[in-house]
Amino acid sequence: MRKVDFLLVGQGIAGTFLSYFLQEAGYEVIVIDQFNPHSSTQVASGVINPVTGRQVVTTWLADEVLPFAWDAYQRMGAAIGQQIIEQSNILAFPPSEQMMQGYQNKLQEANAYVRSAEDSYQNYFHYRHGVVEIAPAYLIDLHALLKGWRNYLRKTNSLIEESFDEAAVQITDNDIIYVDTITAKHIIYCNGVHAYQSKYWQNLPHSLNKGEALIAAIPDLPAHRIYKFGITTLVPWDEGQWWVGSSYDNRFTDAQPSTLFRERKEAELQQILKLPYQIVDHIASIRPATVERRPFVGMHPQEARVGIFGGMGTKGCSLSPFFAKAFADYFQYQTPMHPAADVQRFQKILSR
Ligand SMILES: Cc1cc2nc3c(=O)[nH]c(=O)nc-3n(C[C@H](O)[C@H](O)[C@H](O)COP(=O)(O)OP(=O)(O)OC[C@H]3O[C@@H](n4cnc5c(N)ncnc54)[C@H](O)[C@@H]3O)c2cc1C
């Protein structure tokens, strides 16, 4: 029987960073993950954007989370021998005069994350209301990160590549036992949308949200920036290719790429772009979003050895490193969890 401190379920961005920070704190960790090319992290564009929405507001905890993310991805990159983060500011082309006004108002704030940009993109795009720059914004190479950390887990004998079966978990007074081969002090669910099928977490107020993207070859578009037109963002992807998304659909019936999305996004792309392009792929996934738009982090109020690290919604790239470190500190130093993220706020619902 293998004895560890933590058994983590899932190696998306959440499980990747939680295993990283728990190991760094000196804990022994095993991760169970069955590779899924359509998981949320695999399909995401990897952007960390400090400004969101039509109201042009600073995202939750941006002043703390952004510098933390920069540092955490640099360190993770060093651990796996890859550069996985770069600063890639966002050029935002507001779709209306009203929205441009929102950005102009934001420019006046201290720590606005918005600044004026040179209006020199007429050769590439059709736009009428000017352009502003969101800075700093970061771009994460999620595929390199997941693959690199997976290899590290494999080499250190810390990965089980199979489907997790909740029915095979036994909770005793002192331990978690999994399929009679692993004993752990704690089990933490980092399995994205699948956590909501767990008997421990099914009552949480989740609000799953489907997102899709087209992958387009646009070889003549300069790749030093991210370009944003309302909810449509063009993000550098593989060589000469761009991730073009997204959509936010919480009434979806399946997780497949849809014809409707493809037709709409392609029509938009034709309106935006002055350059030739070719669609080479179409991808979709479900975001583990929550009703309150805040993550679920912490231990179950009824089962002290069972925890969750999820509910990252549209912000997995920035929230996962920050709250993974907070969760590791909770175990190592008993540091209280941020109350807005602590899953104990659902004590009543989880005790039913
Ligand atoms: C179209 C789209 C664009 C996005 N763009 C961005 C963006 O630019 N920036 C940003 O910050 N966020 C973005 N997101 C959101 C981001 O993807 C999520 O917040 C984040 O990836 C969630 O990570 P996770 O690790 O919780 O879940 P997941 O990525 O889903 O990982 C869960 C892991 O658990 C594994 N697993 C599940 N069940 C089992 C089981 N029974 N047995 C074994 N393994 C299992 C899965 O295979 C997977 O590897 C986007 C999402 C979508 C869909």
Side-chain angles (χ1 to χ4, degrees):
M1 183 89 84
R2 174 111 182 252
K3 282 194 173 185
V4 293
D5 298 302
F6 288 91
L7 176 60
L8 304 192
V9 185
Q11 193 237 328
I13 187 82
T16 293
F17 270 105
L18 188 58
S19 53
Y20 173 81
F21 281 116
L22 287 171
Q23 287 198 350
E24 191 185 61
Y27 294 111
E28 197 168 332
V29 180
I30 284 195
V31 180
I32 301 183
D33 183 90
Q34 186 164 56
F35 178 73
N36 172 7
H38 311 293
S39 75
S40 196
T41 310
Q42 294 285 352
V43 168
S45 57
V47 175
I48 298 184
N49 175 0
V51 174
T52 66
R54 283 175 196 275
Q55 310 303 320
V56 192
V57 291
T58 300
T59 59
W60 183 54
L61 298 178
D63 295 350
E64 292 164 74
V65 160
L66 257 78
F68 187 88
W70 176 257
D71 186 52
Y73 282 101
Q74 295 275 8
R75 285 166 54 202
M76 170 63 95
I80 61 172
Q82 301 234 23
Q83 198 192 326
I84 49 171
I85 185 166
E86 61 177 310
Q87 182 168 343
S88 183
N89 294 344
I90 299 170
L91 290 166
F93 299 82
S96 66
E97 200 48 53
Q98 199 185 4
M99 193 138 178
M100 186 53 167
Q101 196 52 54
Y103 280 110
Q104 297 292 355
N105 297 343
K106 185 90 182 143
L107 274 169
Q108 316 302 321
E109 289 175 18
N111 246 4
Y113 296 106
V114 176
R115 61 192 189 201
S116 306
E118 211 180 307
D119 195 348
S120 57
Y121 296 87
Q122 299 290 354
N123 289 343
Y124 306 119
F125 304 117
H126 297 278
Y127 61 97
R128 284 191 294 149
H129 305 289
V131 51
V132 291
E133 184 166 3
I134 299 175
Y138 301 121
L139 184 56
I140 314 300
D141 187 340
L142 289 168
H143 290 169
L145 165 62
L146 292 193
K147 199 171 165 194
W149 188 244
R150 197 173 188 84
N151 282 338
Y152 172 87
L153 290 173
R154 268 191 204 124
K155 271 191 221 147
T156 53
N157 198 19
S158 311
L159 182 68
I160 299 176
E161 298 183 71
E162 62 184 40
S163 183
F164 167 73
D165 175 13
E166 191 172 70
V169 174
Q170 284 176 60
I171 305 181
T172 70
D173 286 347
N174 301 315
D175 294 300
I176 299 283
I177 300 172
Y178 184 66
V179 280
D180 297 331
T181 52
I182 296 168
T183 308
K185 291 287 166 214
H186 305 279
I187 181 169
I188 314 280
Y189 285 72
C190 313
N191 49 344
V193 294
H194 298 273
Y196 308 136
Q197 286 151 16
S198 157
K199 64 179 176 189
Y200 301 108
W201 307 114
Q202 63 194 0
N203 289 343
L204 285 175
H206 51 81
S207 171
L208 304 188
N209 192 301
K210 180 174 174 180
E212 300 185 47
L214 300 177
I215 305 300
I218 319 175
D220 301 331
L221 189 57
H224 62 297
R225 289 285 187 277
I226 293 160
Y227 303 103
K228 185 168 167 54
F229 298 80
I231 69 155
T232 296
T233 309
L234 279 66
V235 183
W237 197 242
D238 294 335
E239 223 32 35
Q241 296 185 351
W242 292 77
W243 182 103
V244 183
S246 185
S247 52
Y248 302 87
D249 178 6
N250 54 16
R251 287 186 294 182
F252 59 91
T253 49
D254 61 55
Q256 300 307 311
S258 71
T259 311
L260 184 64
F261 174 86
R262 182 174 175 140
E263 285 171 358
R264 282 195 182 156
K265 226 22 118 187
E266 232 191 301
E268 258 183 68
L269 204 51
Q270 273 167 20
Q271 279 179 8
I272 293 168
L273 264 185
K274 289 184 177 173
L275 300 170
Y277 70 89
Q278 198 189 352
I279 305 297
V280 296
D281 202 358
H282 178 185
I283 52 182
S285 189
I286 312 297
R287 301 177 183 91
T290 70
V291 172
E292 298 170 310
R293 300 185 181 190
R294 295 291 177 261
F296 300 140
V297 186
M299 304 309 289
H300 198 285
Q302 304 287 302
E303 291 291 358
R305 298 189 178 281
V306 180
I308 187 164
F309 187 59
M312 299 296 161
T314 59
K315 302 278 171 211
C317 293
S318 52
L319 296 182
S320 297
F322 185 80
F323 282 107
K325 175 74 168 92
F327 209 3
D329 285 351
Y330 165 87
F331 289 108
Q332 194 178 11
Y333 306 115
Q334 291 75 53
T335 311
M337 185 50 64
H338 191 301
D342 194 341
V343 78
Q344 292 280 338
R345 69 193 188 277
F346 300 111
Q347 190 166 7
K348 266 195 190 155
I349 302 175
L350 291 172
S351 303
R352 273 181 210 150

